[in-house]
Amino acid sequence: MDSEAVRSFVVAAELGQVQRAADELGVTQQAVSKRIGALERELGVRLFTRTARGVELTPDGRTFLPHARTVVAGVDRAVAALRPRTLRIDVLGLRSAQAVVLHEYWRSNPGIELDVVSLRLNDPREVAAKVAAGKVDASFRSVTDAAALPPDVRMIHAFDSPAELLVGPHHPLASARTVTPAQLREFRIWVPGIAPRSEWAVFYDELVATFDLRVDAAGPHFGDEVLLDTLAESAEVATLVGSRDRYTWPAGHDLRRIPVVAPAIAYPISLMLPSANPHPRLRGVVEHLAGLPPLTEPVWRPSWAVVARA
């Protein structure tokens, strides 16, 4: 089977147009059409139907697509294995706990070529598809519905990120050394910009249901700076952050980070990577994660948390 024909099929399926697929692959539209036609003849089925807007997958095409993606990703990894290649890992943000932990790993292994990226995707299933396609070697994201994880991608527990309450100096809890989830019930916890279908949306839904908290996602998220300015001025508003997340603010803000205890609220951070033939340097990253100290009990985690490394 011609792997480039399979690649042309996958790109056309993802873009929905043969011309756009040709542009993406750097070949002519006729070349893409010929490749897909040859593939259809070899398989003995129709993979696409023509529409006014481009092409749509037939039922056979939809069945073949996940397997075709696996073939393309396997070919790319096989070719890459023949030459040194930079390890490419996706993190939620460059100030996130994932980036902090990954930086700690790189500092202890400075010779490793590492490309840290942040995919602008909120739905972790879309990120999992990028891992399956070889666009990134791994991603610090969690698919909260295990059934939605592609068969050629596995998810392991990376580490727990314990929550801290972030408040300004005028907040009633500003002088507390620790707070419990029960103490938070009477306060507004502002987390603007919770994206629908994101893993953190699922996390906050379960957190609210478990502890009867008032998490307010109202309003657009204008960035961390605006959030921090609001906290500094407010006697009512608080937010939750991860203990390893990086935040900086002017000294005059006098914000306080207060650990949540009894139980600690743990955001479970997972690592998605290919089930077969992962980048060889990922082993070092996984070993580094395994060496991170665990949280002491009691700890609350959402029901979908992956807590075992593999």
Side-chain angles (χ1 to χ4, degrees):
M1 184 175 294
D2 182 357
S3 64
E4 288 308 305
V6 178
R7 187 186 304 276
S8 296
F9 161 72
V10 169
V11 176
E14 291 175 345
L15 298 180
Q17 291 184 351
V18 174
Q19 182 58 61
R20 290 180 62 192
D23 294 340
E24 177 79 11
L25 295 168
V27 298
T28 65
Q29 180 177 348
Q30 184 181 19
V32 172
S33 296
K34 284 185 176 180
R35 290 175 182 176
I36 294 174
L39 183 61
E40 289 178 324
R41 288 191 295 273
E42 183 173 356
L43 295 173
V45 297
R46 289 284 301 278
L47 298 173
F48 290 114
T49 57
R50 295 277 182 175
T51 70
R53 293 182 297 178
V55 292
E56 290 184 357
L57 289 168
T58 64
D60 286 324
R62 287 193 293 271
T63 299
F64 184 59
L65 180 58
H67 303 287
R69 283 178 170 147
T70 300
V71 170
V72 171
V75 169
D76 288 343
R77 285 195 289 269
V79 172
L82 300 178
R83 60 180 183 269
R85 184 172 63 81
T86 300
L87 176 62
R88 195 164 189 252
I89 299 181
D90 164 61
V91 298
L92 190 58
L94 297 181
R95 293 183 179 180
S96 67
Q98 303 101 313
V100 171
V101 168
L102 200 54
H103 181 240
E104 292 170 352
Y105 167 72
W106 180 82
R107 286 186 63 186
S108 62
N109 300 272
I112 290 178
E113 294 185 4
L114 180 64
D115 185 13
V116 181
V117 301
S118 185
L119 300 176
R120 295 184 177 275
L121 297 170
N122 291 322
D123 190 334
R125 293 171 296 182
E126 295 181 27
V127 180
K130 296 292 185 183
V131 175
K135 302 298 184 183
V136 292
D137 296 302
S139 174
F140 282 100
R141 309 285 185 111
S142 298
V143 173
T144 57
D145 179 5
L149 195 68
D152 46 356
V153 174
R154 65 189 179 106
M155 189 169 69
I156 64 174
H157 178 63
F159 61 93
D160 287 321
S161 180
E164 294 178 334
L165 188 72
L166 183 62
V167 298
H170 310 298
H171 194 277
L173 295 175
S175 61
R177 289 194 171 188
T178 60
V179 296
T180 66
Q183 289 177 280
L184 299 180
R185 288 175 183 156
E186 61 183 288
F187 298 105
R188 176 191 176 203
I189 301 172
W190 189 36
V191 187
I194 297 178
R197 302 172 70 87
S198 65
E199 63 185 86
W200 51 96
V202 180
F203 172 83
Y204 280 112
D205 284 346
E206 192 164 335
L207 182 68
V208 167
T210 302
F211 295 106
D212 192 25
L213 301 184
R214 185 157 56 103
V215 173
D216 182 3
H221 183 34
F222 286 102
D224 292 338
E225 290 76 11
V226 173
L227 174 61
L228 298 175
D229 291 344
T230 302
L231 294 174
E233 298 168 358
S234 177
E236 300 177 355
V237 180
T239 195
L240 291 173
V241 298
S243 63
R244 286 189 175 94
D245 294 342
R246 285 180 176 151
Y247 290 91
T248 58
W249 53 80
H253 278 20
D254 193 23
L255 301 184
R256 291 92 187 275
R257 301 178 67 146
I258 308 168
V260 180
V261 299
I265 294 174
Y267 191 102
I269 296 178
S270 304
L271 183 69
M272 293 192 294
L273 66 161
S275 301
N277 301 317
H279 193 295
R281 292 193 179 120
L282 272 176
R283 175 178 293 182
V285 175
V286 173
E287 290 176 351
H288 177 78
L289 297 173
L292 296 176
L295 298 183
T296 56
E297 300 295 337
V299 176
W300 177 86
R301 299 178 182 88
S303 60
W304 47 265
V306 177
V307 295
R309 294 187 178 95

